[in-house]
């Protein structure tokens, strides 16, 4: 079965239709294209950041494997050394007790052999007496020898009544037996998972630092709206640089005031002073955690990690450096008497834009 639907379409007036040519005018300078470019660059940075994070994770896994391997080896070594020590101690005890048991038996054997010799002598005396002595002598000697034998027999009875048989056995420590019979695993390797907490950089953050020229909209028609205002700790001079990080941290450079790099939270509360090598001037965001900082008259910049300031790279210039921006893997630095120096993150100069930079930076002649 078919169903038939009818649609009504109202006619469009010529005034409502914009030609494709008019709609596409200044497309190369449109905010849509700018957003797309920013999103692409931010995504590249995000992917590189994720790759770096996973490379660090891989290194950590390898280090953990080496640490565990060493722990296993050391444990086995300590176990062997302890077992060797216990074995030596037990063998010394065995030797001592064996010698004690043996000495007791040897002592008794010596006594019995001496007694055997004495009885053999009595027997020999009896034989000689029967052959050569008179009846009177035999009579008298027999009584004497009988008394001697009685004493010998009594002595033997007393001796054997105290005899003991020493039977040595070993009672192995139950822990050792358990180790041999019950312990089935040397240990257990546990894998504990924690969230990586990777944060992706928002393309809008970098775009906020890029000057856009040639937009069809007149800048006079743009109105700004104040969202938040807070005081800068210990500063009475103008601020030379400020950026907003992807995690909403605010980094402020106070070149003309206290000469420090400060971190604030998104509520305007001072968090800390970030250690830097000199008075910071200009700031730009390089990735989600790294920023580039210029140092004005000191004629160099540093790329540093805001969470690990010991991780930084220093790039020098021939003259004072002030304003700075980052786009498309390139740094754009305002250098006095040179112009805008374009360089990569390794410090290689790619280009120098020879323009007048008067007014593009603050320069104090005091």
């Amino acid at each position: 079965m078919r169903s038939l639907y009818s649609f009504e379409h109202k006619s469009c007036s010529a005034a409502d239709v914009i030609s494709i040519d008019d709609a596409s005018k200044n497309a190369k300078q449109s905010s849509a294209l700018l957003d797309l470019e920013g999103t692409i660059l931010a995504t590249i940075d995000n992917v590189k950041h994720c790759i770096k994070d996973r490379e660090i994770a891989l290194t950590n896994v390898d280090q953990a494997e080496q640490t565990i391997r060493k722990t296993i080896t050391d444990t086995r070594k300590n176990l062997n050394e302890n077992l060797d020590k216990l074995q030596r101690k037990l063998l010394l005890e065995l030797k001592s007790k064996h010698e004690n048991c043996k000495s007791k038996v040897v002592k008794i054997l010596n006594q019995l052999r001496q007694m055997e010799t004495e009885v053999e002598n009595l027997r020999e005396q009896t034989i000689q007496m029967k052959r050569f002595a008179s009846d009177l002598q035999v009579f008298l000697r027999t009584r004497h020898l009988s008394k001697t034998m009685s004493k010998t027999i009594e002595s033997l009875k007393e001796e054997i009544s105290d005899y003991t048989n020493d039977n040595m056995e070993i009672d192995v420590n139950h822990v050792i037996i358990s180790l041999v019979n019950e312990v089935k695993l040397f240990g257990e390797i546990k894998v504990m998972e924690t969230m990586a907490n990777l944060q992706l950089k928002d393309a809008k953050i970098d775009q906020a630092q890029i000057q856009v020229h040639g937009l069809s909209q007149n800048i006079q028609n743009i109105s700004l709206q104040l969202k938040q205002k807070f005081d800068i700790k210990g500063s009475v001079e103008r601020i030379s640089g400020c950026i907003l990080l992807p995690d909403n941290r605010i980094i402020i450079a106070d070149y003309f005031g206290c000469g420090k790099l400060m971190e604030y939270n998104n509520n305007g509360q001072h968090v800390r002073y970030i250690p830097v090598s000199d008075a910071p001037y200009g700031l730009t965001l390089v990735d989600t955690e790294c920023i580039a900082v210029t140092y004005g008259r000191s004629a160099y910049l540093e790329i540093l990690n805001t969470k690990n300031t010991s991780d930084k790279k220093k790039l020098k210039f021939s003259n004072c450096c002030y304003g700075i921006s980052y786009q498309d893997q390139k740094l754009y630095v305002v250098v006095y008497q040179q112009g805008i120096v374009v360089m990569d993150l390794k410090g290689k100069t790619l280009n120098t834009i020879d323009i007048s930079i008067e007014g593009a930076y603050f320069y104090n002649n005091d």
Side-chain angles (χ1 to χ4, degrees), residues 274-314:
I274 299 176
V276 287
S277 57
D278 208 331
Y281 186 93
L283 304 173
T284 189
L285 186 66
V286 175
D287 61 29
T288 53
E289 293 183 359
C290 291
I291 62 175
V293 184
T294 59
Y295 292 97
R297 289 184 175 182
S298 297
Y300 69 90
L301 69 80
E302 287 180 330
I303 300 174
L304 56 88
N305 189 311
T306 58
K307 294 185 178 180
N308 179 15
T309 53
S310 61
D311 181 14
K312 57 186 175 182
K313 183 175 184 179
K314 186 175 183 179

Side-chain angles (χ1 to χ4, degrees), residues 231-247:
D231 294 329
I232 306 301
K233 182 178 180 181
S235 178
V236 294
E237 301 291 340
R238 60 185 181 272
I239 297 302
S240 58
C242 178
I243 55 174
L244 177 66
L245 301 186
D247 55 5

